[in-house]
Amino acid sequence: ISLQLDTAMQATLSVAFFTSIGMGASLALLRAGGIQVLIFLVLATLFCLVQNFLGIAIALGFEENPLLGVMAGSVTLVGGPATGLAFAPVFEEAGLRGAGPLALTAATAGIVCGGLVGGPVGTRLINRFSLKSPSKAGADARREAEAELRDEPELMVVEVEREDSEFVRNLVVLALAMAVGSIVSAQIQSLGITLPAYIGAMLVASVLRNVDDATRWLRIDQRAMEFAGNLALNIFLVVALMTLKLWELASLALPLLAILVAQVLVVVLFALTISFRVMGKDYESAVMASGF
């Protein structure tokens, strides 16, 4: 049986998802986070280097292409499946066979392991240092808000009878950012810089978001953008996973497993020590270590 799947929309859906992420890049929110956001950004950026050099070292130990260590490093474990697949053609051209399946496998493993170890890391720190939430009032308010959400779930209504519904208007803004972003990406690539196709759209989306914060001309609704982005991501991942050729990874199974196990152990150790201590050794730092 020869089965061919149409993946023509895969790249577009990937760009749509990352454009919706760019719509959340509000400078006002960054300012509210203060210096802690900058410190956390620096930590995360430095750890990307740790992930990549660790992966390269293990790949070389198995006498494999060092690019395997980069693909199973920050490209997928920080970037996720869409970023990994965006870089896959570049890695294929550079000599890493099966880069697409590798990207999906490593990214999926990262998502699963992050979900499994994140909570226990934060819990261990909170219990070990007997940390308490800094604001009882804040916790009470959060419980009240959660109770209200349980009683009356917040819904996003799509008014199908109207051509200018809130959701459709946000889709138009999303499409505008994608269109202009494709031009920006083309200009970046013309300079000889290798970046995923969605980078231009993310940059344009962040500009539109901050212009809208100041003027409210576009009336961007973050809920609508997140809904559109999540919808695009879900379809993108289904298409990507349906076309995944796992047999291409047979020869790389052992080195890939070794790299991923080492990555999990190192990120847990980093979160328990450096991340927690640098961020302040308090309750919020433990929560940030869990997220890290």
Side-chain angles (χ1 to χ4, degrees), residues 20 23-24 154-157 165-171 173-174 209 212-213 216 218-229:
S20 72
M23 290 291 179
E154 188 177 9
L155 302 176
M156 189 185 71
V157 178
S165 71
E166 187 175 21
F167 182 62
V168 171
R169 187 171 61 249
N170 279 269
L171 279 183
V173 175
L174 189 75
R209 168 61 191 271
D212 188 62
D213 283 350
R216 298 305 300 164
L218 301 173
R219 291 183 290 169
I220 293 173
D221 185 323
Q222 196 56 35
R223 288 185 308 151
M225 286 296 177
E226 288 175 359
F227 177 79

Side-chain angles (χ1 to χ4, degrees), residues 81-231:
T83 301
L85 286 174
F87 273 110
V90 179
F91 279 68
E92 287 273 8
E93 291 176 9
L96 180 64
R97 68 186 188 281
L102 277 170
L104 271 179
T105 304
T108 303
I111 292 169
V112 172
C113 291
L116 289 174
V117 304
V121 164
T123 303
R124 176 176 173 79
L125 288 169
I126 290 170
N127 292 337
R128 180 182 176 186
F129 295 99
S130 301
L131 303 173
K132 301 296 181 183
S133 177
S135 172
K136 184 177 183 300
D140 292 340
R142 185 170 62 252
R143 280 194 292 271
E144 290 177 8
E146 289 171 351
E148 289 178 6
L149 286 176
R150 284 195 296 270
D151 295 337
E152 297 181 12
E154 188 177 9
L155 302 176
M156 189 185 71
V157 178
V158 179
E159 302 171 75
V160 294
E161 295 85 3
R162 295 180 55 184
E163 295 179 357
D164 64 335
S165 71
E166 187 175 21
F167 182 62
V168 171
R169 187 171 61 249
N170 279 269
L171 279 183
V172 171
V173 175
L174 189 75
L176 173 65
M178 291 172 65
V180 178
S182 66
I183 300 172
V184 174
S185 289
Q187 292 298 316
I188 293 174
Q189 290 172 2
S190 69
L191 300 175
I193 301 172
T194 301
L195 288 173
Y198 59 76
I199 292 296
M202 283 188 76
L203 292 173
V204 173
S206 64
V207 171
L208 292 178
R209 168 61 191 271
N210 287 283
V211 168
D212 188 62
D213 283 350
T215 64
R216 298 305 300 164
W217 289 341
L218 301 173
R219 291 183 290 169
I220 293 173
D221 185 323
Q222 196 56 35
R223 288 185 308 151
M225 286 296 177
E226 288 175 359
F227 177 79
N230 288 332
L231 183 63

Side-chain angles (χ1 to χ4, degrees), residues 22-101:
M23 290 291 179
S26 170
L27 290 176
L29 289 176
L30 286 176
R31 283 196 296 269
I35 191 65
Q36 290 286 84
V37 174
L38 180 60
I39 295 173
F40 198 77
L41 172 63
V42 171
L43 273 180
T45 303
L46 292 176
F47 192 74
C48 287
L49 299 176
V50 173
Q51 285 181 316
N52 290 336
F53 284 119
L54 174 65
I56 289 171
I58 296 175
L60 290 175
F62 281 92
E63 297 184 350
E64 294 288 347
N65 190 325
L67 289 177
L68 170 63
V70 182
M71 180 60 84
S74 67
V75 174
T76 52
L77 300 184
V78 175
T83 301
L85 286 174
F87 273 110
V90 179
F91 279 68
E92 287 273 8
E93 291 176 9
L96 180 64
R97 68 186 188 281

Side-chain angles (χ1 to χ4, degrees), residues 225-248:
M225 286 296 177
E226 288 175 359
F227 177 79
N230 288 332
L231 183 63
L233 177 64
N234 286 335
I235 301 174
F236 163 78
L237 288 177
V238 168
V239 174
L241 289 170
M242 287 180 70
T243 56
L244 181 61
K245 300 175 182 178
L246 283 174
W247 57 87
E248 294 181 358

